[in-house]
């Protein structure tokens, strides 16, 4: 905001940032935290589409998406713990959660969700793991024994019970996933001191972008893994996923833009600051990257793929590109919301700056490590729980995965 | 004061214990030892706190900043930094300078939080200056504090006597309160790695002394006092027809920090 | 013996144990004074109340610096804290004993100190609160060289002490001020 306004109308000019606002307290780690929880919620929804809504096309990724969610779930608290000034006191969140705090519930919601997800995986995999237990020896056998709770009963009655429990867990899991991630949005939406955050739309936008990132993550990684392993990609599955992705993203993007349109139309004193932010420090990361490259391109790309008749091979190729861009879009959206919100000083008169360093405690390197960890965990999970239809133990031994 | 002396004489150990438990207001520093024998008493600055049990539920304090008196010397900032060893770049209290020109442009600055005072006038202002004034800022001690609302573990809280304090042995350092404070009064102390902010010098008030910024203010621009005492300066100001406002009233936090003569440009 | 729902029973048992352990941990780990007044540790209030003082009041200097204190207390600068110009009590005296030196400003530092409050160029200094001067006009009007330091004419602790005294000698002091013994 360098252009001085000399018209006498409420002119608040020249950067003044409150001295305590110069520092951005929620940095990269808090950008990753909603990103990771979003991926968890979104991937879970993919698996529920199959398990609850019986979208048969999604069978090839029904197990994979669950493990995908589980792998990210295992790491969801890492950025938070790394961010805390006193990570060793984290148990206080569970011991004395403050009922009025929008953050205190996270410990409980997260734990409940983790329990639910773990048991859903265990129930779904029980027949598989019983078979694997029979094939394996030593430590692996003990592990399978624990994971199946020492039960080898695969009688129809037992399987029917499992089926019921799976359906229940998957059904309960949908509202839970919505709560988990809508809640993360509320953590931001509930901060009245930050005009960019305090909006009832925040939980909705977070939830929708969570679905987008989850579905996009599943498509992207599924196609890449299959290509890498030299296995055929189930294009019907990718097409169906892409349709869901497109739908979710249309609503998500609409709400994101609505939020800004609303501000720009109301033109309250907040708009001066939000305008200054979006056309100032966030010009590149918001308009050029998040909206321009990572929203509009995949929006049209997916639209063209879905509306027009496109060869399956081309569909899969472009859908993967669109998914990759959308994964980036959601990350950028988290960045622009979390960092952008803090760049505006509460003096309503200026913006601070933020440049993450590479080797800091909350810098770029830890962020990369934390984002890589779920992939490693996923790979490890794949070792004990075969995630693809074609390598279930009934057809061939486990060693291949 | 008499009863305290009597208490000391009666049973020194018991007295010290009581002081440590805080059940006798105004702890050891009521009486300053004088190297060896003898001692001096520091007169109390807030009448009516010492010499009796401090009942937290019966206290009401208010802080008033008089914009029309502040000279921007930064004494308050210096004293505050020394009292709490505030790390550089973070501020429990700060003094802003507002300059307004005839085109209604508002220029605000606050170099180093006002720690060095304002030695020189601003030279980068093109228009003719209409008005200049200083605005000291500190914790607003809200009736409805956002920071307390959002703290996930109950490490920041409002005491029965109306002070919003931080339990730095319990704070996890998540910085949510820092985001939530509409006044940017909070910061993450890099030494303790916990949230930190102005306390209105709770430890001094409990000993009958004024908050250190109030005490050092040479211009009497900062006033602190007991609202239960109709004779206190703050009671009189609040009872007078003076225009008294708070910062960001639309936030709904209901601060106990009042401003006298605040201009509309101030946020 | 295994039946069709053995694993489910075991899982329910496991969850029950986890819930119990969690509940027990919550009971055991919750700090004892938590909830005494509200959702926080009551002990934290006393901890804050017993934070050691670093600043005292001007009166605390009196016992050892009665001379300076007397001058200061009855001069125009009585509203200024000794500790603002010199540093906090706790750095100087502990348990009634002298433990460290407080800095004393010298030369140009004194000028910077005075200008911090008395500079007329900073407009926002209400006349009824503080009298301000413009440099170097102030020195010029006194017909002295511009490198004079303020304390050559003004006593730092009671800035009008010498001046009023001089005025009294010259018979310039009238009425009320004359009674002040030139402080």
């Amino acid at each position: 905001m360098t252009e001085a306004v000399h018209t006498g109308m409420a002119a608040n000019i020249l950067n003044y940032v409150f001295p305590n606002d110069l520092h951005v307290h929620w940095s990269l780690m808090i950008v990753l935290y909603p990103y990771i929880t979003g991926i968890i919620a979104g991937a879970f929804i993919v698996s529920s589409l199959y398990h609850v809504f019986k979208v048969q096309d999604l069978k090839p990724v029904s197990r994979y998406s669950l493990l995908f969610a589980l792998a990210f779930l295992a790491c969801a608290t890492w950025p938070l713990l790394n961010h805390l000034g006193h990570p060793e006191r984290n148990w206080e969140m569970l011991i004395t959660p403050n009922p009025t705090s929008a953050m205190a519930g996270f410990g409980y919601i997260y734990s409940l969700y983790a329990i639910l997800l773990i048991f859903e995986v265990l129930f779904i995999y029980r027949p598989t793991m019983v078979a694997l237990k029979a094939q394996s020896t030593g430590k692996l056998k003990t592990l399978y024994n624990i994971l199946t709770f020492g039960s080898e009963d695969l009688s129809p009655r037992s399987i029917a019970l499992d089926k019921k429990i799976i359906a229940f867990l998957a059904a309960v899991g949908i509202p839970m996933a919505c709560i988990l991630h809508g809640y993360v949005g509320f953590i931001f939406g509930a901060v009245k001191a930050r005009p960019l955050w305090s909006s009832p739309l925040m939980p909705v936008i977070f939830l929708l972008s969570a679905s987008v990132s989850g579905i996009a993550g599943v498509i992207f990684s599924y196609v890449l893994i299959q290509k890498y392993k030299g296995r055929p990609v189930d294009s019907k599955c990718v097409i169906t996923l892409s349709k869901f992705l497109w739908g979710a993203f249309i609503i998500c993007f609409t709400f994101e833009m609505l939020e800004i349109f609303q501000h720009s139309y109301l033109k309250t004193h907040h708009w001066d600051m939000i305008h200054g932010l979006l056309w100032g420090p966030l010009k590149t990361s918001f308009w050029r990257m998040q909206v321009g490259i990572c929203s509009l391109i995949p929006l049209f790309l997916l639209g063209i793929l879905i509306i027009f008749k496109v060869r399956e091979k081309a569909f899969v190729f472009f859908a993967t590109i669109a998914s990759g861009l959308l994964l980036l879009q959601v990350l950028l959206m988290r960045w622009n919301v979390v960092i952008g919100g803090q760049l505006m000083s509460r003096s309503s008169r200026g913006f601070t700056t933020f440049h993450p360093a590479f080797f800091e405690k909350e810098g770029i390197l830890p962020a990369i490590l934390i984002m890589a960890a779920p992939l490693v965990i996923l790979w490890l999970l794949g070792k004990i729980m075969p995630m693809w239809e074609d390598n279930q133990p009934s057809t061939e031994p486990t060693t291949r995965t | 004061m008499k009863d305290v002396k009597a208490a000391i004489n009666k049973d020194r150990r018991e007295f010290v214990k009581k002081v440590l438990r805080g059940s006798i207001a105004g702890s050891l520093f009521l009486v300053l030892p004088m190297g060896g024998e003898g001692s001096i008493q520091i007169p109390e600055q807030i009448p009516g706190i010492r010499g009796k049990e401090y009942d937290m539920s019966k206290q009401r304090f208010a802080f008033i900043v008089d914009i029309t008196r502040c000279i921007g010397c930064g004494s308050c900032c210096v004293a505050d930094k020394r009292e709490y060893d505030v790390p550089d770049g973070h501020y429990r209290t700060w003094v802003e300078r507002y300059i307004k020109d005839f085109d209604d442009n508002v220029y605000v600055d606050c170099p180093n939080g006002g720690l060095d005072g304002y030695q020189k006038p601003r030279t980068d202002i093109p228009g003719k200056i209409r008005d200049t004034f200083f605005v000291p800022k500190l914790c607003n001690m809200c009736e409805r504090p956002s920071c307390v609302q959002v703290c996930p573990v109950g490490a920041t809280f409002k005491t029965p006597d109306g002070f919003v304090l931080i339990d730095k042995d319990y704070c996890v350092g998540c910085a949510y309160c820092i985001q939530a404070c509409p006044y940017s009064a909070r910061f993450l102390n890099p030494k303790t790695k916990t949230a930190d902010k102005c306390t209105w010098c709770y430890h001094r008030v409990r000993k009958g002394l004024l908050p250190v910024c109030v005490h050092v203010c040479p211009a009497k621009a900062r006033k602190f006092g007991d609202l239960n005492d109709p004779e206190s300066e703050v009671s009189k100001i609040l009872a007078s027809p003076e225009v008294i406002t708070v910062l960001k009233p639309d936030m709904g936090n209901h601060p106990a920090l009042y401003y006298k003569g605040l201009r509309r440009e101030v946020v | 013996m295994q039946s069709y729902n053995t694993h489910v029973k075991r899982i329910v048992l496991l969850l029950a144990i986890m819930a119990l352990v969690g509940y027990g941990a919550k009971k055991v780990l919750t700090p004892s004074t938590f909830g005494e007044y509200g959702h926080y540790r009551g002990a934290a209030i006393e901890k804050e109340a017993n934070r050691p003082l670093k600043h005292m009041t001007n009166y605390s200097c009196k016992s050892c610096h009665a001379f300076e204190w007397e001058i200061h207390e009855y001069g125009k600068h009585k509203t200024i804290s000794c500790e603002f110009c010199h540093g906090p009590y706790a750095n100087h005296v502990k348990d009634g004993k002298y433990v460290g030196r407080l800095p004393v400003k010298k030369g140009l530092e004194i000028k910077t100190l005075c200008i911090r409050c008395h500079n007329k160029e900073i407009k926002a200094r209400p006349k009824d609160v503080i009298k301000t001067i413009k440099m170097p006009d102030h020195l010029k009007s006194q017909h002295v060289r511009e490198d004079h330091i303020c304390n050559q004419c003004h006593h730092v602790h009671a800035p009008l002490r010498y001046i009023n005294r001089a005025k009294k000698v010259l018979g310039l002091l009238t009425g009320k001020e004359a009674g002040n013994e030139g402080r």
Side-chain angles (χ1 to χ4, degrees):
Chain A
M1 293 225 287
T2 37
E3 77 271 33
V5 188
H6 282 290
T7 50
M9 66 174 248
N12 295 324
I13 52 162
L14 289 160
N15 244 344
Y16 171 61
V17 177
F18 279 150
N20 286 331
D21 276 350
L22 284 166
H23 193 77
V24 169
H25 286 97
W26 281 1
S27 58
L28 269 185
M29 290 301 126
I30 307 297
V31 173
L32 290 191
Y33 155 64
Y35 189 52
I36 293 180
T37 46
I39 290 178
I40 302 169
F44 185 86
I45 287 171
V46 171
S47 87
S48 288
L49 285 176
Y50 172 76
H51 289 293
V52 182
F53 298 104
K54 310 284 182 240
V55 181
Q56 292 301 330
D57 289 348
L58 300 187
K59 190 158 194 286
V61 294
S62 68
R63 292 187 165 200
Y64 169 68
S65 56
L66 263 189
L67 292 187
F68 191 72
L70 190 61
F72 277 91
L73 185 99
C75 306
T77 56
W78 296 8
L80 290 181
L81 289 176
N82 184 31
H83 159 74
L84 286 187
H86 283 277
E88 79 282 2
R89 296 183 186 163
N90 72 79
W91 50 271
E92 290 168 4
M93 298 241 185
L94 296 169
I95 300 298
T96 58
N98 180 4
T100 64
S101 168
M103 190 187 273
F106 181 75
Y108 279 95
I109 294 181
Y110 171 82
S111 311
L112 285 179
Y113 191 68
I115 290 172
L116 182 134
L117 191 56
I118 290 171
F119 282 115
E120 184 173 345
V121 169
L122 291 184
F123 274 109
I124 287 178
Y125 271 95
R126 202 172 68 87
T128 313
M129 288 196 298
V130 170
L132 286 172
K133 186 172 133 191
Q135 294 171 13
S136 54
T137 50
K139 283 202 183 108
L140 208 55
K141 199 178 181 83
T142 326
L143 182 65
Y144 283 126
N145 201 16
I146 294 171
L147 292 180
T148 51
F149 289 87
S151 151
E152 283 169 17
D153 195 326
L154 290 183
S155 63
R157 196 171 167 211
S158 184
I159 296 288
L161 176 69
D162 280 9
K163 277 245 162 76
K164 263 193 212 144
I165 292 176
I166 291 169
F168 172 77
L169 290 178
V172 173
I174 296 172
M176 284 281 295
C178 293
I179 291 173
L180 176 72
H181 205 71
Y183 177 83
V184 173
F186 187 70
I187 290 182
F188 294 94
V191 178
K192 64 183 168 192
R194 300 260 185 221
L196 193 71
W197 292 353
S198 68
S199 150
L201 275 185
M202 208 38 86
V204 182
I205 294 179
F206 266 65
L207 194 53
L208 287 165
S209 60
S211 317
V212 170
S213 65
I215 303 173
V218 170
I219 299 180
F220 191 71
S221 57
Y222 168 67
V223 174
L224 285 195
I225 291 175
Q226 298 299 80
K227 289 272 170 227
Y228 175 73
K229 296 262 168 182
R231 284 189 298 246
V233 175
D234 186 324
S235 41
K236 245 179 121 187
C237 171
V238 172
I239 291 171
T240 311
L241 276 175
S242 301
K243 285 180 183 162
F244 281 111
L245 180 61
W246 194 47
F249 185 63
I250 288 173
I251 313 177
C252 175
F253 188 60
T254 311
F255 275 120
E256 279 171 15
M257 292 297 109
L258 176 65
E259 164 99 64
I260 290 164
F261 178 73
Q262 169 92 353
H263 273 300
S264 83
Y265 196 81
L266 291 181
K267 290 206 174 24
T268 61
H269 60 290
H270 292 323
W271 174 242
D272 296 331
M273 280 300 284
I274 292 177
H275 178 274
L277 178 79
L278 295 181
W279 274 268
L282 288 195
K283 195 166 180 180
T284 302
S285 67
F286 183 75
W287 288 119
R288 298 206 178 103
M289 292 171 61
Q290 185 190 327
V291 175
I293 298 176
C294 295
S295 295
L296 294 178
I297 294 180
L299 196 67
F300 285 108
L301 199 58
L302 285 174
I304 291 167
L305 290 180
I306 288 165
I307 294 170
F308 298 103
K309 252 193 124 44
V310 181
R311 275 191 305 122
E312 285 189 350
K313 262 215 150 119
F315 192 110
V316 170
F317 179 73
F318 286 113
T320 312
I321 289 179
S323 305
L325 284 174
L326 285 180
L327 272 176
L328 213 59
Q329 194 271 357
V330 177
L331 183 62
L332 282 164
M333 175 263 182
R334 307 286 193 243
W335 167 280
N336 289 327
V337 169
V338 175
I339 304 294
Q342 297 173 82
L343 292 184
M344 294 195 273
S345 171
R346 280 161 282 197
S347 67
S348 304
R349 287 199 163 90
F351 305 99
T352 182
T353 50
F354 175 65
H355 303 287
F358 196 80
F359 288 112
E360 265 174 348
K361 177 180 158 238
E362 297 185 48
I364 297 172
L365 181 66
I368 293 174
L369 291 179
I370 286 177
M371 283 315 289
L375 305 178
V376 176
I377 293 176
L378 187 63
W379 176 74
L380 287 174
L381 276 176
K383 294 257 166 208
I384 46 171
M385 297 180 182
M387 27 191 173
W388 309 111
E389 290 295 314
D390 57 359
N391 57 15
Q392 298 302 319
S394 44
T395 48
E396 44 185 303
T398 37
T399 41
R400 239 201 70 187
T401 341
Chain B
M1 222 76 341
K2 277 230 178 68
D3 26 350
V4 176
K5 259 194 182 158
I8 301 177
N9 292 337
K10 223 174 94 199
D11 188 343
R12 246 197 124 77
R13 273 185 62 207
E14 194 53 32
F15 172 76
V16 171
K17 260 202 232 153
K18 269 191 184 164
V19 163
L20 290 179
R21 264 189 278 120
S23 56
I24 286 195
S27 86
L28 297 166
F29 288 103
L30 225 144
V31 180
L32 283 182
M34 274 271 298
E37 77 298 335
S39 60
I40 56 157
Q41 278 182 24
I42 307 293
E44 63 183 350
Q45 293 178 316
I46 311 170
I49 291 201
R50 289 186 190 159
K52 60 172 191 234
E53 287 256 333
Y54 182 85
D55 185 349
M56 275 197 266
S57 60
K58 298 225 166 68
Q59 308 293 330
R60 270 180 77 216
F61 295 103
F63 201 121
I64 300 179
V65 174
D66 188 345
I67 302 299
T68 61
R69 289 190 72 86
C70 181
I71 59 170
C73 64
S75 302
C76 44
C77 307
V78 171
D80 185 79
K81 191 175 171 85
R82 288 178 182 156
E83 181 77 19
Y84 296 97
D85 282 324
V86 184
D88 289 344
H90 302 278
Y91 307 91
R92 295 168 74 109
T93 182
W94 66 97
V95 178
E96 299 167 352
R97 168 166 62 183
Y98 281 71
I99 299 176
K100 216 170 131 185
D101 69 9
F102 278 90
D103 293 324
D104 264 358
N105 291 315
V106 183
Y107 302 83
V108 193
D109 69 340
C110 185
N112 200 12
L115 265 178
D116 313 320
Y118 290 86
Q119 295 273 345
K120 292 200 177 70
R122 265 180 89 154
T123 50
D124 56 343
I125 292 164
K128 207 164 161 266
I129 294 174
R130 182 159 83 187
D131 194 9
T132 309
F133 53 93
F134 292 105
V135 183
K137 295 272 183 81
L138 61 156
C139 176
N140 283 250
M141 296 291 168
C142 310
E143 179 72 36
R144 218 195 275 157
S146 318
C147 51
V148 174
Q149 183 185 18
V150 303
C151 177
V153 298
T156 185
F157 51 87
K158 195 163 153 244
T159 62
D161 41 351
F163 289 75
V164 177
L165 302 179
I166 295 165
D167 183 347
K168 68 173 189 302
D169 302 322
Y170 206 64
C171 173
V172 293
C174 68
Y176 201 12
C177 54
I178 299 170
Q179 306 295 352
C181 175
Y183 306 100
S184 294
R186 290 177 163 251
F187 56 91
L188 200 78
N189 189 322
K191 278 190 221 145
T192 59
K193 302 215 185 325
T194 55
D196 204 348
K197 73 164 183 73
C198 159
T199 56
W200 285 10
C201 290
Y202 188 65
H203 60 307
R204 291 176 65 91
V205 173
R206 285 285 294 267
K207 292 167 186 112
L209 300 178
L210 286 171
V212 71
C213 58
V214 178
H215 164 60
V216 301
C217 180
K220 296 220 159 44
R222 291 176 178 241
K223 302 160 207 289
F224 179 86
D226 186 354
L227 285 181
N228 288 332
D229 174 5
E231 291 307 306
S232 69
E233 197 185 358
V234 287
S235 296
K236 284 183 180 155
I237 293 176
L238 290 183
S240 76
E242 294 281 358
V243 179
I244 304 285
T245 40
V246 295
L247 293 173
K248 299 193 181 179
D250 50 329
M251 282 290 163
N253 279 30
H254 302 294
L257 167 67
Y258 300 95
Y259 281 84
K260 185 173 152 188
L262 195 69
R263 323 280 176 92
R264 74 174 172 83
E265 294 80 14
V266 179
V267 283
Chain C
M1 257 310 51
Q2 290 200 353
S3 77
Y4 78 103
N5 59 3
T6 310
H7 59 295
V8 180
K9 280 188 196 149
R10 287 181 181 162
I11 287 170
V12 170
L13 188 69
L14 176 76
L15 288 176
I17 292 172
M18 273 166 61
L20 262 175
V21 168
Y23 183 75
K26 186 170 152 67
K27 277 261 132 34
V28 172
L29 288 177
T30 302
S32 57
T33 57
F34 207 94
E36 194 178 349
Y37 304 105
H39 192 83
Y40 56 94
R41 297 192 316 157
I45 300 181
E46 290 317 314
K47 173 115 201 258
E48 184 63 43
N50 290 323
R51 183 196 276 270
L53 292 170
K54 289 197 78 181
H55 287 77
M56 282 296 160
T57 64
N58 289 0
Y59 190 82
S60 63
C61 315
K62 185 186 176 193
S63 54
C64 302
H65 299 290
F67 179 70
E68 279 84 7
W69 184 83
E70 174 92 10
I71 294 173
H72 179 265
E73 183 64 16
Y74 297 103
K76 279 274 180 194
H77 271 169
K78 64 170 180 297
T79 55
I80 313 179
S81 160
C82 313
E83 289 159 290
F84 165 61
C85 295
H86 291 298
Y89 183 90
N91 294 358
H92 187 48
V93 182
K94 217 162 253 148
D95 295 331
K97 292 203 186 63
Y98 173 86
V99 289
R101 214 185 139 257
L102 286 183
V104 178
K105 293 201 162 52
K106 287 269 171 300
L108 272 180
E109 284 174 354
I110 294 184
K111 192 170 158 187
T112 313
L113 179 70
C114 309
I115 290 297
R116 185 177 183 140
C117 296
H118 286 290
N119 192 354
K120 206 181 213 94
E121 310 275 341
I122 308 289
K123 298 276 186 322
R125 299 213 155 137
K127 285 197 190 59
D128 56 328
V129 179
I130 189 165
K131 304 238 167 32
T132 51
I133 49 135
K134 200 166 160 39
M135 291 296 281
D137 301 12
H138 180 60
L139 297 181
K140 276 190 195 144
S141 73
Q142 303 299 326
H143 310 292
V144 293
R145 280 182 24 210
E146 284 175 24
D147 55 3
H148 262 59
I149 305 290
C150 317
N151 67 336
Q152 284 175 278
C153 303
H154 296 285
H155 191 294
V156 288
H157 296 135
L160 292 184
R161 184 181 164 90
Y162 304 146
I163 292 165
N164 282 347
R165 212 174 258 170
K167 282 184 179 170
K168 200 176 174 193
V169 170
L170 296 172
L172 289 170
L173 222 53
T174 48
K176 211 177 96 232
E177 285 170 319
N180 270 352
E181 286 293 312
R183 275 153 171 169

